[in-house]
Amino acid sequence: MSSNYEKNSLTLGGTVAMGTGVMIGAGIFALTGQIAELAGPLFPLAFLVAAAISGFSAYSYIRVSSRYPSAGGIAMILEKAYGPTFVTGAASLLMGFSMIINESLVARTFGSYTLQLFDGVDRDRWVPILAVALIAAAFLVNIANNRIIGTVSKITAFLKVGGILLFAGVTLWAANFEFRPASNPSGEPTTALGFVAAVALGILAFKGFTTITNSGAEVVDPERNVGRAIVYSLLICLVVYMSVCLAVGSTLTIEQIVAAKDYSLAEASRPAVGRYGVWFTVGVAIIATASGVLASIFAVSRMLAMLTDMRLIPHRHFGMPGSIQKHTLVYTVVIAALLAAFFDLSRIASMGAIFYLVMDIIVHFGVWRHLRNEVGARGSILITAMLLDAIVLAVFLTIKWQQDVFIVAVAAAGILGIFAFERLYLHRRRSSG
């Protein structure tokens, strides 16, 4: 191996913190307004259904990763299922790009919330600037060792989970614990297609559990703790998400949530506790999004390093010193910064959901077809996970085709390009001996 992984450098607590760091940073701050726009007053239920589907998805990762813990765990799962083929490389790259997309999503959310502290600023200009600045800062932290990252993740996880729950409690208390988003002035009913499309974005809010599998070789007692960390992370995030959904819905109508969809939590705190509530919520959002970017960059750079070690993707160091891990870290932050600079939150979220769901289906099919007996997985659960993903993906693509055909075209071109690139690369590598 050309990459140096620090065995036993991540405890169970640190691993849970890393998983929740990615999920909470992306999910509740970036996606609440996006999901409410599609699901209407049923947006809390969309999060709940997304959690259930994510639970089915987690089953494949837990079964395989607990048996074969590895850094870059998703690539390992795919390699075990499909061998060193272009399917393994392409699906792994889909996951890698999905995680990078997540970084840009969270980074732009950081910019949107930070600007709530200032009046009269040019949002179109400053959101991407702040997003790129956060990604650069996360890069500097990530060039340190894993123990620093684990310590930062633990501290920020405590602060943001506690802060978000405090926001939810105070907001609900100020609203007399009444949930009333159905007072949508537009009066437009929620459609079944809209609700399922909202669930697709909700799944994106929970997909951070996969970062845990990507660090399996670095987790203490990974055979036990990888699965436990995934389950704990999902449960913690579900509690946090549902609390916030109820709080936002107790203060704002759906129309108001959608109008402030890039910073809906800050807007929800305004009528409840005034400007001090906005400041507090923005502070928590800054902590949550910053730690989310930090944890995501940590995971995806390790995954890309493993793909390089497996000779499934090419590598060029471009004169940079250091290990392959450091090089893939640079590639990760450059791509994330470009996405954050040129795409808005809605399009970033949509592209991330499409990439992730396609990759997830490939993983489940591979485990079902090739590994279920080896890892003791139940075929019925794997098939259910595949069907749920396929239904949600089909509905989401239908909705997005009607609303924003450009992002569907970009996502499709990206997926086809990744598979074509991977097939060509492996063909040339094998032909050259």
Side-chain angles (χ1 to χ4, degrees):
M1 281 278 189
S2 59
S3 302
N4 301 313
Y5 302 106
E6 298 180 47
K7 188 175 181 180
N8 295 328
S9 60
L10 289 172
T11 64
L12 175 61
T15 307
V16 172
M18 183 176 64
T20 55
V22 175
M23 283 189 276
I24 293 176
I28 206 63
F29 288 100
L31 296 173
T32 301
Q34 312 284 338
I35 292 172
E37 186 174 23
L38 291 167
L42 298 179
F43 72 96
L45 182 60
F47 272 107
L48 185 60
V49 174
I53 294 176
S54 297
F56 278 99
S57 290
Y59 181 75
S60 293
Y61 299 91
I62 290 173
R63 298 305 303 175
V64 181
S65 295
S66 295
R67 174 117 187 210
Y68 302 107
S70 170
I74 290 174
M76 177 275 299
I77 294 171
L78 289 161
E79 197 274 337
K80 290 287 184 183
Y82 296 101
T85 64
F86 83 97
V87 175
T88 296
S92 298
L93 283 177
L94 280 179
M95 183 62 201
F97 278 110
S98 175
M99 295 167 70
I100 293 172
I101 290 167
N102 179 77
E103 293 159 16
S104 60
L105 170 71
V106 181
R108 283 193 70 102
T109 303
F110 167 84
S112 294
Y113 274 84
T114 301
L115 291 181
Q116 297 308 300
L117 300 175
F118 307 96
D119 296 324
V121 295
D122 184 350
R123 292 179 53 81
D124 291 339
R125 176 184 180 185
W126 281 102
V127 165
I129 290 175
L130 291 173
V132 172
L134 174 61
I135 292 170
F139 166 75
L140 295 178
V141 176
N142 265 275
I143 61 177
N145 62 49
N146 294 357
R147 297 188 186 280
I148 293 178
I149 297 169
T151 299
V152 171
S153 295
K154 285 181 182 179
I155 294 172
T156 56
F158 173 79
L159 290 175
K160 68 186 175 184
V161 171
I164 291 171
L165 290 176
L166 180 59
F167 153 80
V170 171
T171 303
L172 282 168
W173 174 78
N176 294 320
F177 297 93
E178 295 180 6
F179 182 75
R180 51 176 184 268
S183 58
N184 184 1
S186 67
E188 296 181 3
T190 301
T191 65
L193 290 181
F195 179 81
V196 177
V199 170
L201 290 181
I203 291 172
L204 187 63
F206 286 98
K207 82 176 187 66
F209 76 82
T210 58
T211 62
I212 295 171
T213 68
N214 292 338
S215 303
E218 298 165 299
V219 177
V220 175
D221 191 8
E223 290 79 7
R224 295 179 62 230
N225 286 336
V226 168
R228 292 165 66 192
I230 289 174
V231 173
Y232 294 160
S233 295
L234 286 171
L235 290 175
I236 290 170
C237 287
L238 176 60
V239 171
V240 172
Y241 291 170
M242 295 307 295
S243 299
V244 171
C245 285
L246 294 175
V248 172
S250 71
T251 305
L252 303 177
T253 66
I254 293 301
E255 187 174 77
Q256 291 170 326
I257 296 172
V258 172
K261 62 183 179 181
D262 290 350
Y263 49 91
S264 56
L265 269 67
E267 192 65 23
S269 65
R270 195 182 304 275
V273 284
R275 61 177 181 174
Y276 298 109
V278 173
W279 294 347
F280 175 79
T281 306
V282 169
V284 176
I286 289 172
I287 294 172
T289 51
S291 62
V293 171
L294 175 68
S296 183
I297 287 176
F298 174 89
V300 73
S301 63
R302 271 62 177 178
M303 178 180 175
L304 293 177
M306 184 176 186
L307 289 175
T308 302
D309 289 335
M310 295 166 66
R311 300 185 68 194
L312 288 174
I313 60 174
H315 177 75
R316 296 289 185 273
H317 57 75
F318 297 110
M320 293 185 293
S323 67
I324 290 177
Q325 288 183 15
K326 296 297 188 292
H327 302 165
T328 55
L329 185 62
V330 173
Y331 307 150
T332 298
V333 298
V334 168
I335 297 171
L338 289 172
L339 287 170
F342 296 108
F343 284 83
D344 64 23
L345 276 177
S346 180
R347 283 180 163 173
I348 291 172
S350 297
M351 191 159 55
I354 294 168
F355 275 35
Y356 174 75
L357 286 168
V358 171
M359 182 281 308
D360 205 43
I361 292 170
I362 294 172
V363 168
H364 297 320
F365 180 79
V367 176
W368 174 78
R369 181 70 176 82
H370 302 289
L371 296 176
R372 68 178 185 272
N373 294 327
E374 186 176 339
V375 301
R378 294 185 180 181
S380 59
I381 298 179
L382 298 172
I383 291 173
T384 300
M386 277 189 282
L387 288 175
L388 291 173
D389 277 352
I391 292 169
V392 169
L393 176 61
V395 172
F396 187 72
L397 288 173
T398 299
I399 291 290
K400 284 300 170 180
W401 183 265
Q402 297 169 355
Q403 296 179 346
D404 188 1
V405 67
F406 172 77
I407 200 62
V408 175
V410 170
I415 292 170
L416 292 174
I418 287 171
F419 273 87
F421 164 81
E422 192 63 27
R423 190 177 186 91
L424 179 62
Y425 166 71
L426 289 180
H427 175 73
R428 287 183 173 178
R429 183 175 67 80
R430 287 163 183 164
S431 297
S432 63

